[in-house]
Amino acid sequence: QVQLVESGGGLVQPGGSLRLSCAASGSGFSINIMGWYRQAPGKQRELVAVVTSGGNTNYADSVKGRFTISRDNAKRTVYLQMNSLKSEDTAVYYCCVDGVQAGWPKRYWGQGTQVTVSS
C-alpha cells in the first residue's frame, strides 16, 4: 500500500506564497506522474499541475506563471510552489500519484490540504 502525506497548506493573504509538499511512502510502486489537483467549494476537482518522471510539466492556465511544480525522485516527493496567490486559489489541494504496482497501473490520492487566500 502507498501513502501520500501532504503538508504546507494554510491561510495566506492575497499576493502571498505557500509551498505544498507531498511525500509517497510504501514499496512495490513505481511512480511515473506526480501532480496536484484542487477542489473549491461547490466546484469539481480540477488539475493544477503535473510533472513526469522525466521532468516534463503541465499547468492549468489559471496558475501558469504563478505556480511551479517540482519533484525529488530520490525522496519520492512532489512540491508545489505557489506565488502571487489569489482568492480564487482557495481550495483543498490534493496530491495525486500515478504509477505501476504489481504490473498494473495505479493511482493514489493524498488526504488533501486546505489553502485559504484571504485578507
Side-chain angles (χ1 to χ4, degrees):
Q1 188 71 8
V2 173
Q3 286 188 327
L4 302 180
V5 179
E6 303 164 353
S7 61
L11 173 64
V12 64
Q13 292 186 343
S17 298
L18 282 175
R19 189 191 194 212
L20 306 182
S21 299
C22 172
S25 63
S27 60
F29 182 59
S30 177
I31 297 175
N32 292 328
I33 299 172
M34 306 183 83
W36 293 92
Y37 289 70
R38 67 186 181 187
Q39 187 166 18
K43 294 187 177 182
Q44 290 187 333
R45 190 174 297 189
E46 62 176 0
L47 181 144
V48 177
V50 293
V51 56
T52 68
S53 56
N56 293 317
T57 59
N58 189 36
Y59 295 91
D61 287 342
S62 59
V63 307
K64 283 181 180 177
R66 300 188 297 121
F67 291 9
T68 302
I69 190 170
S70 61
R71 63 190 280 175
D72 184 329
N73 290 327
K75 295 181 178 180
R76 294 160 64 93
T77 299
V78 62
Y79 306 96
L80 185 68
Q81 178 67 42
M82 304 184 293
N83 298 328
S84 302
L85 282 160
K86 306 175 181 179
S87 58
E88 50 262 45
D89 295 318
T90 295
V92 178
Y93 284 70
Y94 296 91
C95 173
C96 178
V97 175
D98 290 325
V100 177
Q101 191 168 37
W104 294 94
K106 188 77 174 179
R107 167 170 286 188
Y108 289 97
W109 291 94
Q111 78 282 4
T113 185
Q114 178 70 47
V115 172
T116 302
V117 184
S118 175
S119 56

